[in-house]
Amino acid sequence: MPPTTSASVSPPVLEPFIRSLDVAAHKNHLDDPNYYAKYSRSLITKSTVNSFMTGTGDAIYKSLAPLLETTSHELILVTCFWARSSSLQTLNQVLRNLSHKAIYRGTEKIRVRLCFSSSSIFQKLFHKQSVDGQIYDQSSWMTQFGLPDPSELGGLDLQIKSVFILPFSVMHPKFIIVDRQTVVLPSCNISWEEWFEGAITCTGPIVNQFTKFYEEFWLRQSPLPDLPATTQDDSKPWHADVAETSDLGHANIVTHFSSTTKPSTISAIPTVFLPSPHRRNPQFQPFASTEGVTAPPTPLNAFILTLLSKAEKTIRIQSPNITSPPVLSAILAALQRGIDVSILTSSRLMILEQLVTAGTTTSRCVNTLIKRYKKLSSPRPAYDEEAAIAEPRLGKLKVSYFEPMGGAKSRGQEGGEPQQSHLKMMIADGEVVVLGSGNLDRASWFTSQELGVAFFDGGLVGEVERMVEKAMEGRVRVVFDSEGV
């Protein structure tokens, strides 16, 4: 693994981002949560990255199980969609093991909080319409959520809570906090889909940002109780035995940057926490042009737009769907400034949901983007040579769709092979990577609650790119490449 080269948070990106949030403070103050609105710089922090992994949601949860099972006092798991699945089976075994641990040591119960937003159409239609959400009695744990019998979890102080607001306000973040020391930021839900996912694990001050977000929204501003006094052994975050990369097949690649004897080289790096609160009003304007559509100025939205406008060389995007008008306009503007843009997305992922929430599909939006790019790249008329010389070189555009190796398989026949790409990732200039729950679609940008994190470190970006590129080998279909035109 090449040595990391920690990059400072670049003022060309950070300062315009902070200014945009300051200007929008009066709007963001009405959001939920809104604790950062008065002081946007409070979102700037640092983190130490311990691991990054790719693969299906099932594979990622199996890789995370050793970390989750080290929980001594408190496990907080927030996801969007909850369904019976192999990843749920892995979580169930983690819960059983934690219960056994608490009972064996004969001390207080381990506090477990499971939070989600969606489990079925029926659940969403009849859900309590309040951000206070619903808390479920243990009599429903087995039948409704597929959890172990409560008698198997006697060592846990377990609570399940859901929040969903009609018509489209799903709480989309996914994160896990272990003993308020380690945080996991995965792209996958507790669900059955065999999709390509990613997850990053961190320690350091970034954990406090996740804890604050959890308190403000899921606890409704009541603080978390203090954790019990810890011994020296159980106060240390978990680390792998060896710092190395393992390729387990089917795009399941795991890199541990630290071990029990070797600290992470990606330490105390500049990091920005990027929440994006939900909204009930989707702002649909069926007969209006999308050119002037303005997205809510949430920290995540503002950061993505700033990154697209301030990138100096390259932008790399991997997103399940791309239907957000402001994003598409910003991508085209970046290309016009001479920025090379590479996009990997899906052609047929959740098409019905796209039509309902955006009135279009990713494939339509991608085709429109390509057409507009071709128009920009058309030769200038002879009389306009002076204007053509004054303009910057048009950036290169490459657009690809994810394709499963060996072709698409029906549910239950995947054999561990990811069928769609669900990773949400944006990289700019090889120096900053944004990961989290936010897609580049209209739902994520206008109605869903989302959560992202920006990491400023060239070494980390290089490792993430290397792993994703390795995982994508044989799973990409190029639909447009301006270099080959």
Side-chain angles (χ1 to χ4, degrees):
M1 183 181 0
T4 184
T5 54
S6 292
S8 61
V9 181
S10 173
V13 175
L14 184 63
E15 293 308 316
F17 162 66
I18 293 298
R19 286 199 299 271
S20 68
L21 290 187
D22 289 344
V23 169
H26 65 290
K27 295 181 180 179
N28 290 341
H29 182 69
L30 302 174
D31 287 345
D32 183 5
N34 63 3
Y35 58 91
Y36 51 82
K38 289 184 178 180
Y39 185 54
S40 56
R41 290 184 186 274
S42 65
L43 297 172
I44 302 172
T45 184
K46 291 184 180 294
S47 63
T48 294
V49 179
N50 297 317
S51 68
F52 180 73
M53 58 194 72
T54 65
T56 63
D58 177 38
I60 283 178
Y61 264 93
K62 286 177 179 174
S63 296
L64 291 174
L67 165 62
L68 305 185
E69 290 180 355
T70 63
T71 303
S72 290
H73 305 292
E74 181 184 77
L75 178 67
I76 297 170
L77 187 152
V78 177
T79 192
C80 173
F81 188 62
W82 185 283
R84 295 173 187 269
S85 56
S86 53
S87 56
L88 176 56
Q89 292 175 11
T90 299
L91 177 62
N92 283 346
Q93 191 55 48
V94 168
L95 296 178
R96 291 187 185 98
N97 291 342
L98 292 181
S99 178
H100 293 160
K101 176 195 292 189
I103 293 172
Y104 177 79
R105 71 188 183 189
T107 57
E108 77 291 335
K109 293 183 177 183
I110 294 177
R111 189 172 183 268
V112 177
R113 295 294 180 264
L114 305 178
C115 306
F116 76 98
S117 188
S118 171
S119 61
S120 67
I121 294 178
F122 180 86
Q123 173 257 341
K124 288 190 284 189
L125 287 175
F126 296 95
H127 198 283
K128 179 180 179 182
Q129 293 300 291
S130 167
V131 289
D132 291 334
Q134 296 180 196
I135 296 176
Y136 299 84
D137 187 84
Q138 65 176 237
S139 61
S140 66
W141 290 356
M142 288 183 63
T143 57
Q144 191 166 348
F145 301 108
L147 291 174
D149 189 288
S151 63
E152 298 183 68
L153 305 177
L156 304 182
D157 169 14
L158 175 63
Q159 184 184 95
I160 304 175
K161 183 177 183 179
S162 64
V163 179
F164 176 79
I165 307 295
L166 288 168
F168 306 124
S169 295
V170 67
M171 308 306 132
H172 200 234
K174 311 98 168 45
F175 61 91
I176 307 169
I177 307 173
V178 180
D179 286 331
R180 301 181 209 172
Q181 295 179 330
T182 303
V183 67
V184 183
L185 184 65
S187 64
C188 50
N189 298 297
I190 300 291
S191 189
W192 52 267
E193 296 93 351
E194 293 280 19
W195 292 344
F196 178 73
E197 310 278 4
I200 192 167
T201 68
C202 308
T203 55
I206 184 64
V207 180
N208 297 331
Q209 295 278 352
F210 280 90
T211 302
K212 175 70 171 177
F213 181 84
Y214 171 78
E215 285 181 330
E216 291 286 332
F217 186 78
W218 290 97
L219 290 186
R220 309 310 305 158
Q221 302 182 2
S222 61
L224 281 164
D226 292 336
L227 293 180
T230 59
T231 65
Q232 186 175 4
D233 290 336
D234 66 9
S235 64
K236 297 178 180 178
W238 177 85
H239 295 285
D241 293 333
V242 182
E244 63 180 7
T245 296
S246 301
D247 188 341
L248 306 176
H250 294 298
N252 181 204
I253 305 174
V254 181
T255 293
H256 292 288
F257 301 110
S258 61
S259 69
T260 52
T261 58
K262 177 180 176 294
S264 175
T265 56
I266 308 174
S267 178
I269 64 173
T271 307
V272 183
F273 189 73
L274 301 169
S276 193
H278 74 281
R279 282 170 168 76
R280 299 194 70 167
N281 180 9
Q283 300 182 34
F284 285 144
Q285 298 178 12
F287 304 107
S289 169
T290 60
E291 292 297 317
V293 176
T294 302
T298 69
L300 180 57
N301 288 354
F303 190 88
I304 293 297
L305 291 179
T306 303
L307 205 57
L308 289 170
S309 68
K310 297 299 179 181
E312 297 178 350
K313 298 177 181 179
T314 60
I315 296 168
R316 176 173 182 163
I317 295 170
Q318 189 155 340
S319 176
N321 294 315
I322 304 179
T323 61
S324 176
V327 173
L328 292 162
S329 297
I331 290 173
L332 196 66
L335 289 163
Q336 288 179 284
R337 290 191 296 110
I339 309 304
D340 296 337
V341 179
S342 173
I343 299 172
L344 176 55
T345 185
S346 300
S347 61
R348 59 184 186 278
L349 181 62
M350 304 177 74
I351 292 178
L352 179 59
E353 179 178 298
Q354 292 182 62
L355 289 171
V356 171
T357 60
T360 187
T361 64
T362 292
S363 58
R364 290 179 186 173
C365 291
V366 165
N367 289 339
T368 300
L369 176 65
I370 293 172
K371 288 178 182 178
R372 294 175 69 184
Y373 176 83
K374 287 180 177 179
K375 186 175 181 180
L376 290 173
S377 60
S378 299
R380 290 269 184 174
Y383 62 80
D384 204 15
E385 289 181 1
E386 184 175 339
I389 293 173
E391 291 184 357
R393 172 191 70 86
L394 189 65
K396 302 171 187 176
L397 174 63
K398 183 176 181 180
V399 181
S400 306
Y401 286 133
F402 179 89
E403 295 286 349
M405 189 174 289
K409 300 292 190 301
S410 58
R411 182 177 174 181
Q413 304 299 315
E414 305 95 339
E417 175 66 21
Q419 300 297 296
Q420 301 279 2
S421 175
H422 196 239
L423 176 69
K424 306 90 164 46
M425 179 185 76
M426 181 177 288
I427 293 174
D429 297 330
E431 291 294 337
V432 55
V433 57
V434 182
L435 299 168
S437 69
N439 302 316
L440 299 183
D441 59 12
R442 206 181 193 288
S444 286
W445 276 62
F446 285 83
T447 56
S448 300
Q449 183 192 85
E450 304 289 353
L451 185 59
V453 178
F455 300 92
F456 288 79
D457 184 88
L460 172 63
V461 172
E463 286 297 310
V464 169
E465 282 200 286
R466 177 185 64 82
M467 292 174 63
V468 172
E469 286 175 359
K470 177 67 175 176
M472 290 299 96
E473 290 179 0
R475 298 181 174 90
V476 174
R477 174 170 61 90
V478 179
V479 294
F480 180 79
D481 188 347
S482 61
E483 282 196 304
V485 174

